[in-house]
Amino acid sequence: MKNKELKILLSAPRGFCAGVERAIEIVEKSIQKYGAPVYVRHEIVHNKFVVDDLRKKGAIFVEELDEIKDKSRPVIFSAHGVPKTVPDDARNYNMTYVDATCPLVSKVHREAENLNKAGYHIILIGHKNHPEVIGTMGQLPEGSIDLIQSEEEAKNYYNKDDKKIAFVTQTTLSVDDTKEIIKILKSRFENIREPQKEDICYATTNRQMAVKNIAKNCDMFFIIGSRNSSNSVRLVEVAKKSGCENSMLIHSESEIPYNKIQQVNTIGISSGASAPEILVDNFINGLKNRFTIKIDEVEIIKENVVFKIPKKLN
């Protein structure tokens, strides 16, 4: 019996962004420079495959610095950024640290600090308890920044200090959802100050646009990425909203629904900014074993962004 034919629309750009590539390189270069083990505070990026691979090379992952028994070993801060208290603690412990915060997250940190110094009360649009949000809120004195997560919260927000207000955003949000929240804030606070340049990062935007571009032509859509990866979860939402209701996240423990794939003709595939391309290859190879596949890579924009690693590792 001839294998069923399956068309794959492969979304591009997908996968690693410049901030993730830089963060992984920082861990690898730190191990080369300082030897193993090096400690990493929080998962360097939200992907189990990447974390497990770095573990094998000599990285030990912790959530807080006080878990590190041997304070003479270096510690790396994850790409999501950290509150100001974390480098302060590292200095108090006399620890060597390397900051792998994505430069685009650092840009939001500096923006929030400058607005705070200029007398603005700040609204952060983002998701509670995400490490990036914790890091950004931790740049400022308590009480000077409020989190808004939804259109509902934007409608009910009130400016309790009667100070001038400004907003910044988490870098990995859904472009469309954020647009709606911003629209509400602007209609309620005419003089609200917005970032000079969009805070949602280029990679998040590009990956969402690429998925949006092909979702309506797909019967099913698969996003390769981790459950705790904000940008991967947003891609699933974008695929659903853009015309492919049957969209799902494929993570390290996912059962691949081959029976359902058997019943469709065209599937879309993309991956989150912290998912390595090998996971996409593995997924496609699993399909090749069962179907006759035709791959059409649909690229909407070329990415050529590269971020330098800290001088101390060169």
Side-chain angles (χ1 to χ4, degrees):
M1 191 180 107
K2 190 172 172 295
N3 280 352
K4 177 190 162 64
E5 284 194 5
L6 183 68
K7 185 174 181 186
I8 295 176
L9 296 182
L10 188 56
S11 185
R14 65 182 172 276
F16 279 0
C17 60
V20 164
E21 286 188 352
R22 174 180 178 269
I24 294 168
E25 191 185 352
I26 285 174
V27 179
E28 291 175 337
K29 285 257 168 81
S30 297
I31 293 168
Q32 283 165 23
K33 178 171 176 171
Y34 301 109
V38 301
Y39 287 88
V40 184
R41 184 190 176 277
H42 192 68
E43 292 184 350
I44 187 73
V45 298
H46 285 157
N47 186 275
K48 186 180 184 303
F49 183 92
V50 171
V51 167
D52 288 348
D53 184 53
L54 292 172
R55 228 181 236 127
K56 284 185 203 120
K57 292 175 180 171
I60 296 175
F61 292 86
V62 295
E63 282 305 311
E64 297 299 343
L65 300 187
D66 58 16
E67 295 167 44
I68 299 172
K69 301 276 186 286
D70 182 358
K71 302 280 197 290
S72 69
R73 301 305 304 157
V75 61
I76 298 158
F77 304 148
S78 83
H80 311 98
V82 293
K84 277 214 161 116
T85 51
V86 174
D88 288 349
D89 290 346
R91 283 188 286 270
N92 291 337
Y93 285 132
N94 271 332
M95 293 183 80
T96 301
Y97 67 86
V98 187
D99 189 354
T101 301
C102 170
L104 298 175
V105 174
S106 299
K107 167 191 156 288
V108 177
H109 288 183
R110 284 193 302 273
E111 209 169 24
E113 275 195 288
N114 291 338
L115 288 164
N116 177 252
K117 282 186 188 129
Y120 284 87
H121 186 82
I122 294 157
I123 291 171
L124 169 62
I125 302 169
H127 293 139
K128 193 178 183 180
N129 297 332
H130 187 277
E132 185 189 324
V133 164
I134 293 167
T136 300
M137 294 186 82
Q139 300 305 305
L140 301 178
E142 193 136 345
S144 54
I145 181 164
D146 293 321
L147 181 65
I148 283 185
Q149 301 185 78
S150 63
E151 292 176 38
E152 204 44 50
E153 287 182 13
K155 284 175 189 155
N156 295 324
Y157 182 78
Y158 73 101
N159 182 6
K160 48 188 173 296
D161 296 335
D162 219 27
K163 278 170 110 172
K164 43 189 188 170
I165 54 174
F167 72 84
V168 295
T169 78
Q170 186 181 333
T171 61
T172 53
L173 297 175
S174 152
V175 176
D176 292 338
D177 291 353
T178 312
K179 209 186 293 169
E180 290 309 309
I181 293 174
I182 291 168
K183 207 187 274 175
I184 292 165
L185 290 174
K186 282 181 165 175
S187 71
R188 295 194 54 224
F189 307 103
E190 282 167 29
N191 299 323
I192 192 167
R193 179 152 164 191
E194 59 186 315
Q196 284 165 332
K197 190 174 173 296
E198 179 73 81
D199 286 336
I200 294 179
C201 92
Y202 77 93
T204 300
T205 305
N206 291 347
R207 278 150 193 67
Q208 288 179 17
M209 275 166 51
V211 165
K212 212 183 260 190
N213 182 40
I214 57 175
K216 59 187 174 302
N217 304 323
C218 300
D219 305 313
M220 292 182 85
F221 213 112
F222 298 97
I223 304 295
I224 316 292
S226 291
R227 283 169 287 192
N228 60 343
S229 159
S230 170
N231 74 82
S232 303
V233 174
R234 299 292 83 72
L235 286 175
V236 177
E237 291 168 4
V238 167
K240 285 181 175 173
K241 282 185 177 169
S242 306
C244 187
E245 253 312 298
N246 204 349
S247 300
M248 65 185 287
L249 187 69
I250 298 290
H251 53 80
S252 58
E253 290 154 34
S254 289
E255 290 283 321
I256 302 196
Y258 291 117
N259 292 346
K260 286 184 180 163
I261 297 171
Q262 182 73 42
Q263 293 157 30
V264 302
N265 299 316
T266 304
I267 65 166
I269 300 175
S270 186
S271 53
S274 44
E277 188 63 9
I278 187 170
L279 298 180
V280 176
D281 295 341
N282 292 348
F283 181 65
I284 291 173
N285 288 336
L287 295 170
K288 276 181 183 164
N289 294 335
R290 292 168 171 82
F291 307 103
T292 302
I293 67 173
K294 178 179 177 292
I295 299 177
D296 184 3
E297 184 166 31
V298 187
E299 183 172 64
I300 57 154
I301 190 166
K302 274 252 180 288
E303 285 182 348
N304 50 13
V305 179
V306 176
F307 293 136
K308 291 191 178 78
I309 65 164
K311 285 194 179 68
K312 65 166 97 171
L313 294 178
N314 285 329

